[in-house]
Amino acid sequence: MKGITHRLLSLKFIVTVILFIATNPGLYAQEEKQLVIGQQPVYKVARARETIKVDGKMDEAAWKNAQVVSFDNFFRNDKPVDKQKSKFRMLWDSTSIYLFYECEDSSLTSRETNFDGRPYLDDCAEFFVVPVPDSLYMHFGFEINITKAAYDYIVLWRYYNNRTLFISGYNPAYKVEATFDGTINNDKDKDKGWTMEFQIPFSALNNFQNVLRPKAGVRWAFQAVRQDRNFVDDRFRSTSTLFPIYETRLDVHQPARFGLMEFIDN
């Protein structure tokens, strides 16, 4: 029954995307003030030459070859934020992409426990990807808090009347593990931080990866985000992104502000 349900969801997704493309062909052209191909920052994704065990640690030697970048672009600035350090790494092999978030955090917060809930209100890692180099108005999203409550979805950004549609029925198979140093949901002590490691199989991208198959030189568009919440009873959170977002009145899902990942065969 579960397999039938997943096939039905995939069929609904395909129908939705076909209708979206058919009724909105102009959306795939870059608009004025948006980035165009050749202007986006590029992250070089090194190839892993050994098996990666997804455990929230970087024990494998392959991680030493991963490009290390920091989350220096702070999105929410409506009040002063504690700009805690965050690092991001990514690898790939013949089946998957691997992500690693390494975050300093003096106050670990994680309250969401429901699947497809709101982990983005906690300490949370987010990853948006579309397997083409142009920033289409559709992308896959993964959001996981430090106790592994997951929200995964497909985004149709500003689909109708500037409203963004999240298709939460997208339930791909992928792996996540997290570690943390400190106590969760205790504002009275000082914590040290957390890590999170992902394995996202290419097959989780609903065959979109077949448009541009992963191989050396191929580029996809993506964005990585850290949500940092430092007080259990305060809804405010600091949001930092890998690539800069200039229109802060909108949200972090702006596809024209995605950067690129380039697969390399190092």
Side-chain angles (χ1 to χ4, degrees):
M1 181 63 71
K2 183 176 180 181
I4 294 174
T5 301
H6 282 178
R7 285 195 295 272
L8 289 173
L9 288 171
S10 296
L11 180 60
K12 290 180 180 178
F13 160 69
I14 293 170
V15 172
T16 300
V17 171
I18 291 173
L19 290 174
F20 173 67
I21 294 172
T23 57
N24 297 273
L27 290 181
Y28 287 87
Q30 294 285 358
E31 298 174 359
E32 188 178 0
K33 297 182 181 179
Q34 294 184 344
L35 297 178
V36 296
I37 296 301
Q39 291 183 343
Q40 297 104 315
V42 179
Y43 178 96
K44 301 285 189 178
V45 190
R47 182 156 191 157
R49 298 295 181 182
E50 60 184 306
T51 300
I52 302 296
K53 180 180 179 182
V54 181
D55 54 7
K57 304 174 184 177
M58 288 191 293
D59 294 334
E60 297 84 4
W63 283 113
K64 295 180 181 179
N65 295 324
Q67 181 181 352
V68 184
V69 289
S70 56
F71 292 83
D72 295 329
N73 306 288
F74 286 82
F75 177 72
R76 298 184 185 276
N77 54 11
D78 48 334
K79 65 177 177 179
V81 298
D82 183 11
K83 296 182 178 181
Q84 302 189 101
K85 294 180 180 179
S86 315
K87 294 179 181 179
F88 176 84
R89 298 169 175 85
M90 183 158 46
L91 296 170
W92 73 290
D93 62 18
S94 60
T95 66
S96 308
I97 51 177
Y98 301 86
L99 319 175
F100 202 96
Y101 294 71
E102 183 180 13
C103 303
E104 293 183 3
D105 199 328
S106 62
S107 183
L108 300 173
T109 305
S110 185
R111 301 189 305 173
E112 182 62 76
T113 59
N114 294 321
F115 176 71
D116 278 351
R118 298 190 295 175
Y120 49 84
L121 295 180
D122 297 331
D123 290 323
C124 177
E126 303 182 359
F127 183 72
F128 316 141
V129 60
V130 57
V132 292
D134 206 355
S135 301
L136 302 187
Y137 280 65
M138 166 269 168
H139 58 271
F140 299 91
F142 304 83
E143 302 183 3
I144 318 290
N145 69 10
I146 59 175
T147 50
K148 299 195 296 181
Y151 177 32
D152 39 62
Y153 47 78
I154 294 165
V155 176
L156 301 181
W157 193 71
R158 301 179 72 178
Y159 175 68
Y160 181 71
N161 286 339
N162 285 330
R163 295 182 62 183
T164 298
L165 175 64
F166 288 76
I167 304 175
S168 58
Y170 166 64
N171 299 315
Y174 60 102
K175 295 180 181 179
V176 177
E177 288 295 339
T179 70
F180 53 87
D181 188 349
T183 55
I184 295 178
N185 299 335
N186 183 354
D187 295 339
K188 297 180 180 180
D189 66 354
K190 188 172 183 179
D191 305 316
K192 292 186 177 180
W194 54 273
T195 67
M196 191 175 297
E197 187 173 18
F198 290 65
Q199 179 186 4
I200 302 176
F202 297 128
S203 59
L205 303 178
N206 281 72
N207 291 320
F208 267 63
Q209 77 280 2
N210 291 328
V211 177
L212 284 176
R213 294 181 180 273
K215 63 180 181 179
V218 165
R219 291 181 171 185
W220 291 359
F222 83 106
Q223 175 70 284
V225 181
R226 176 197 176 173
Q227 302 286 3
D228 183 11
R229 182 188 177 104
N230 285 329
F231 298 98
V232 175
D233 295 326
D234 185 359
R235 288 182 59 86
F236 176 79
R237 64 195 188 278
S238 171
T239 302
S240 53
T241 62
L242 203 61
F243 304 113
I245 294 176
Y246 304 103
E247 297 180 73
T248 56
R249 61 185 176 83
L250 299 176
D251 58 34
V252 295
H253 292 278
Q254 300 172 46
R257 300 305 179 192
F258 286 7
L260 298 176
M261 66 171 76
E262 180 178 331
F263 299 100
I264 62 173
D265 197 0
N266 52 310

